[in-house]
Amino acid sequence: MSKTIVFCEHTGGQVRRASLEAIGAATGAGSEVVALLTGEGAAAAAATATGAAKAICLTGPAEYSADAVATAAAEVTKAEGANAFIAASTYRGKDLCPRVAAHLDVTPFADCVEFTAAGDSFHVKRPWLAGKALATLGSTGTIVATTRLNVFTPADGGAPAETAEHAITAEPKAVVTSIEAKAGAKLDVKEAPVVVSGGRGLQEADKFQIVEDLAAAFGNAAVGASRAIVDLGWRPHGEQVGQTGKTVSPQLYIAVGISGAIQHLAGMRTSGTIVAINKDADAPIFKVADYGIVGDAFEILPALTEAVKAIKAQS
Ligand SMILES: Cc1cc2nc3c(=O)[nH]c(=O)nc-3n(C[C@H](O)[C@H](O)[C@H](O)COP(=O)(O)OP(=O)(O)OC[C@H]3O[C@@H](n4cnc5c(N)ncnc54)[C@H](O)[C@@H]3O)c2cc1C
């Protein structure tokens, strides 16, 4: 049976959902999982790493250092005889994995959407060519990979049966001294289960409010944007979906007044269900949409928002 180290981020004493999905990716491919946690509260959060057989908490400096944690993570991977090291494709996971891969002298696989057992290891599937193709990749060495958010189901199972410690001994080269939440911070477009994105079809910045209203009606939706309107200064770059923005894979993606340029599709085409609203029936977005509404966003969105509110009120 293969063994996988899964780097588990945690907040408020709980392992983050993105990391639980990474555990699910490994257990789903039949691997035994060792959860690796670091930072203040790691020991308490370890109990919430459901699906992992064992948890290892890194001990050492209080401040997070990607380079020092990567050294320790590679040490743990080798000491445990693991075939794989996986982290969620978050900022921290994307920062950590290439460093771990460098220590293990292997190539990291980013943003994977499928893991399948292959002997004592895995094959991974990841989007290529801006999402136009899916590549299946294997490695003769340890697999080091990040998992695309919202693709994998968190693993079932109980808390790890065993918890151990491993000391961070490498001298940190760079440390995170503080993390400040943005005032009025909203749900991140990468992590939300529902994303409502708007594009240039919304005509002007003030009219974008109809997209915000629909997202608010869902209650668990984030707002996304095409690059065209980010470049116009209507929306912040943090909301941009696409090749030069964020890659999202929510359960539901609603594209409003977005043409569906290849660079936009690169960031959202693996979403669960895609709904496109566009007044041009030939818009390329309809080629990837599961449901398409041809019409004026200014008529359709308010009606959709009221319908979502009515359904939410009943549930
Ligand atoms: C190197 C590079 C990287 C890029 N990276 C990204 C990226 O990360 N993300 C990204 O999004 N783009 C990216 N782009 C830009 C991309 O090529 C497109 O220009 C951009 O996605 C277009 O944005 P849009 O769909 O909002 O605008 P448009 O292409 O102008 O489309 C607007 C759409 O709105 C529709 N519409 C108009 N009025 C209404 C209405 N009342 N109701 C309903 N529909 C209406 C129109 O029919 C049209 O389809 C990149 C480009 C390059 C060259």
Side-chain angles (χ1 to χ4, degrees):
M1 188 191 212
S2 66
K3 190 189 264 191
T4 302
I5 309 296
V6 176
F7 180 67
C8 289
E9 296 173 55
H10 55 95
T11 173
Q14 301 278 326
V15 169
R16 290 181 62 187
R17 182 187 158 93
S19 301
L20 295 176
E21 291 173 8
I23 295 178
T27 56
S31 187
E32 179 187 322
V33 167
V34 176
L36 183 67
L37 298 93
T38 190
E40 202 183 329
T48 68
T50 47
K54 175 179 173 183
I56 296 179
C57 299
L58 297 179
T59 57
E63 288 174 330
Y64 180 79
S65 160
D67 50 87
V69 168
T71 307
E75 289 165 2
V76 168
T77 306
K78 285 182 190 163
E80 288 287 319
N83 317 80
F85 178 89
I86 300 179
S89 192
T90 58
Y91 289 112
R92 193 160 276 191
K94 287 193 284 189
D95 188 27
L96 184 67
C97 272
R99 297 169 192 270
V100 175
H103 282 294
L104 299 175
D105 199 20
V106 295
T107 303
F109 301 137
D111 227 13
C112 298
V113 295
E114 196 177 302
F115 285 71
T116 44
D120 278 343
S121 188
F122 301 121
H123 283 160
V124 300
K125 221 172 236 188
R126 65 173 300 264
W128 263 20
L129 302 169
K132 280 191 126 179
L134 283 173
T136 302
L137 304 159
S139 171
T140 49
T142 311
I143 295 273
V144 176
T146 57
T147 50
R148 183 170 283 197
L149 307 192
N150 286 322
V151 169
F152 297 98
T153 308
D156 287 336
E162 183 192 346
T163 304
E165 290 185 347
H166 181 93
I168 298 173
T169 51
E171 195 60 41
K173 295 186 186 119
V175 294
V176 176
T177 53
S178 69
I179 296 177
E180 287 157 31
K182 269 190 355 196
K186 297 175 187 158
L187 211 49
D188 189 274
V189 74
K190 265 179 87 76
E191 298 191 28
V194 178
V195 174
V196 186
S197 284
R200 192 151 41 194
L202 290 151
Q203 297 171 358
E204 56 190 70
D206 287 349
K207 293 186 179 172
F208 195 87
Q209 186 60 41
I210 57 170
V211 172
E212 299 241 30
D213 292 345
L214 178 56
F218 277 105
N220 60 349
V223 169
S226 71
R227 175 164 160 179
I229 68 167
V230 169
D231 286 352
L232 284 165
W234 297 2
R235 304 302 298 179
H237 182 260
E239 291 178 2
Q240 184 182 317
V241 172
Q243 189 180 316
T244 44
K246 290 180 175 168
T247 301
V248 303
S249 202
Q251 291 154 24
L252 175 62
Y253 187 86
I254 304 179
V256 186
I258 292 179
S259 57
I262 182 70
Q263 297 89 355
H264 186 82
L265 302 185
M268 45 63 74
R269 69 189 313 156
T270 57
S271 302
T273 300
I274 298 172
V275 177
I277 301 164
N278 196 304
K279 68 178 187 185
D280 175 7
D282 294 325
I285 191 77
F286 288 123
K287 292 199 178 119
V288 298
D290 299 287
Y291 298 95
I293 305 174
V294 179
D296 186 346
F298 297 101
E299 287 171 17
I300 293 158
L301 244 59
L304 200 53
T305 302
E306 287 314 310
V308 172
K309 279 184 188 166
I311 291 166
K312 291 278 173 187
Q314 283 165 17
S315 55

